[in-house]
Amino acid sequence: MAVRIRLTRVGATKQPSYRLVVADSRNARDGRSIETIGHYNPRTDPIEVSIDADKAKKWLAQGAQPSDTVARLFRNAGILPAAK
């Protein structure tokens, strides 16, 4: 099973906010997830990001691959090392 850490869209039409979830890569974007590890709201100023770092590190250690956007959020939060 290929596990990914990715964003799931929640919120009203034209007002997106996102949950950071751990899910099987074969499931739909807003489909079934294994665990929710945080949330991300790009519409606030400043942008609101809340990540459970312990859960994120646990899933990364078990082989879960973050999506590009989630990897950027993890680098900004200090969970992943900065890109070269």
Side-chain angles (χ1 to χ4, degrees):
M1 178 165 79
V3 178
R4 301 273 301 181
I5 302 173
R6 62 185 182 194
L7 298 175
T8 295
R9 189 182 192 278
V10 293
T13 304
K14 305 283 186 175
Q15 297 179 7
S17 61
Y18 301 91
R19 289 186 185 137
L20 278 82
V21 298
V22 179
D24 186 341
S25 64
R26 296 169 290 188
N27 289 346
R29 177 193 70 183
D30 296 338
R32 193 176 70 146
S33 63
I34 299 169
E35 184 175 19
T36 301
I37 61 173
H39 68 273
Y40 166 58
N41 188 356
R43 294 180 49 85
T44 60
D45 189 29
I47 292 172
E48 180 183 344
V49 178
S50 173
I51 302 170
D52 187 336
D54 293 334
K55 288 182 182 180
K57 289 177 182 177
K58 179 190 90 159
W59 280 105
L60 290 170
Q62 291 179 3
Q65 295 296 312
S67 67
D68 294 338
T69 304
V70 171
R72 178 179 53 83
L73 293 173
F74 281 179
R75 280 194 291 276
N76 291 342
I79 297 170
L80 286 177
K84 294 180 181 177

